[in-house]
Amino acid sequence: MKIKVNLISGRTAKQGANLEAKTYKAYFEACSYCELNAVDLEKLGASEGNSLKVTSEFGDVVVFAKANDGNPKGLAFIPMGPWANAVLNPDTHGCGMPGLKGVPAEIEITDKMPLDMKSLMKKYLEN
């Protein structure tokens, strides 16, 4: 089963605290997840910690599921970082920042695991 979502990104305290250690486990844990409302997780048949494949017109990425009932139904949040960058609009519109809000996406459960930072970068360098 797939669900359609409005994908957004932004900074989090944990993501910001680990900016200087992007190849470390703490940064991976701070950025490689997707927050969804519990109702959306239930529609997917997913639980926190399950792997999710997020796909947009800009690419796809595997991240961990995380519940956040502060998110309205149909809204998905991935912290700023390489996992979000894989599926967000890269066009900076001349301002130096990519589009971080309002990207239509689809999410489904997958048996694949999220790639660590080095493996993720290698994947995109090879494509």
Side-chain angles (χ1 to χ4, degrees):
M1 161 140 216
K2 293 181 184 181
I3 62 169
K4 293 182 186 281
V5 298
N6 180 11
L7 179 62
I8 64 171
S9 185
R11 297 217 181 270
T12 68
K14 286 185 180 182
Q15 176 264 345
N18 289 287
L19 278 174
E20 300 300 320
K22 290 183 178 178
T23 59
Y24 286 52
K25 184 177 180 185
Y27 186 75
F28 174 77
E29 291 172 350
C31 298
S32 63
Y33 65 85
C34 178
E35 291 181 351
L36 293 168
N37 183 288
V39 172
D40 289 332
L41 283 175
E42 188 176 322
K43 282 183 194 174
L44 285 169
S47 301
E48 280 202 36
N50 286 153
S51 292
L52 302 175
K53 181 179 178 185
V54 180
T55 304
S56 74
E57 68 177 288
F58 306 106
D60 63 75
V61 70
V62 175
V63 290
F64 293 110
K66 191 170 186 181
N68 182 344
D69 285 332
N71 287 4
K73 290 180 234 167
L75 183 76
F77 173 83
I78 301 176
M80 284 178 75
W83 294 269
N85 291 347
V87 289
L88 293 174
N89 186 348
D91 189 351
T92 65
H93 305 286
C95 72
M97 280 294 288
L100 302 175
K101 310 285 188 237
V103 174
E106 288 187 337
I107 299 179
E108 61 190 307
I109 294 177
T110 182
D111 57 357
K112 294 183 180 177
M113 295 298 289
L115 296 174
D116 63 42
M117 170 73 142
K118 289 180 183 179
S119 300
L120 186 65
M121 294 298 96
K122 183 178 179 185
K123 175 183 174 182
Y124 292 107
L125 281 172
E126 291 173 349
N127 287 337

